[in-house]
Amino acid sequence: TLCYVLELKCDMGLRIRNAYQSRNKEVLNSIAHYEIPELINRLEKLMEAINVQWESENKIFGLDVLDLRIGGLKQRLESAAGRLVKYINGEIEKLEELDGDVLFFDCRDHDENDLSIGPPFWHQIVSANIVCGL
C-alpha cells in the first residue's frame, strides 16, 4: 500500500515545479484535479492498512504520530491542489513557493556534484521555517 502511494508521490513535486516553470497549465490542471485526489485516496487506504496492522501488532500508543504525519500530508496535498487551481484560474499571478531556488533540506552547503544526503530528520525538514541547527 505504501508503494502504491509512493508511485504517485515520489516525483509529483518535481513534475509540479517543472510544469509551473514551463507555464504548462494543462499538466498543472491534471495534477490538481486528478493526481492529487488519487494520491489522497491512496493515502486513506494506506492509513486503513496501517491501522489494521498496528492494532494487530501493537498497543494503540504511537499510532497518533502516524495520524499526524499522514493527516498533515493529506492537508498539504489539498492546499497544494487549491493553490494550483487558483493559479490555473488566474486568481493568483504566481506561486511563490515554486519561484524560489530549491534549497538542500539538511542545511549544509553543497557542491552541485555532491550527491550525498544527510540524515532525514522529519522535525528538521517538515517546515522551511525551521532555523538550521536550533
Side-chain angles (χ1 to χ4, degrees):
T1 308
L2 176 60
C3 291
Y4 194 50
V5 167
L6 295 176
E7 175 185 25
L8 280 180
K9 185 183 180 302
C10 69
D11 68 343
M12 185 178 285
L14 295 172
R15 290 185 303 107
I16 289 171
R17 184 176 177 81
N18 289 338
Y20 175 75
Q21 289 179 333
S22 64
R23 305 300 183 237
N24 189 336
K25 290 186 176 182
E26 184 177 317
V27 170
L28 294 174
N29 187 61
S30 176
I31 292 171
H33 287 102
Y34 300 103
E35 291 186 43
I36 290 177
E38 175 59 23
L39 181 52
I40 290 170
N41 182 52
R42 292 180 186 195
L43 278 172
E44 290 169 351
K45 290 179 181 176
L46 173 63
M47 198 61 217
E48 290 171 14
I50 287 171
N51 275 312
V52 168
Q53 183 172 350
W54 190 279
E55 291 174 3
S56 71
E57 296 178 354
N58 304 293
K59 292 184 178 183
I60 196 64
F61 308 109
L63 184 60
D64 58 318
V65 174
L66 293 172
D67 285 337
L68 289 169
R69 290 184 180 179
I70 292 175
L73 177 55
K74 283 175 55 179
Q75 184 57 50
R76 286 299 306 134
L77 287 166
E78 290 173 5
S79 295
R83 297 268 302 153
L84 291 174
V85 168
K86 285 181 181 180
Y87 173 72
I88 293 162
N89 292 340
E91 297 173 48
I92 54 178
E93 291 183 26
K94 61 182 181 175
L95 298 170
E96 291 92 353
E97 60 270 34
L98 297 176
D99 279 333
D101 293 334
V102 175
L103 303 176
F104 291 101
F105 76 91
D106 60 5
C107 303
R108 293 183 290 165
D109 291 329
H110 284 272
D111 178 323
E112 288 183 15
N113 298 318
D114 181 6
L115 300 177
S116 63
I117 296 177
F121 295 117
W122 180 80
H123 70 279
Q124 292 175 331
I125 62 172
V126 67
S127 172
N129 292 323
I130 301 298
V131 177
C132 295
L134 298 179

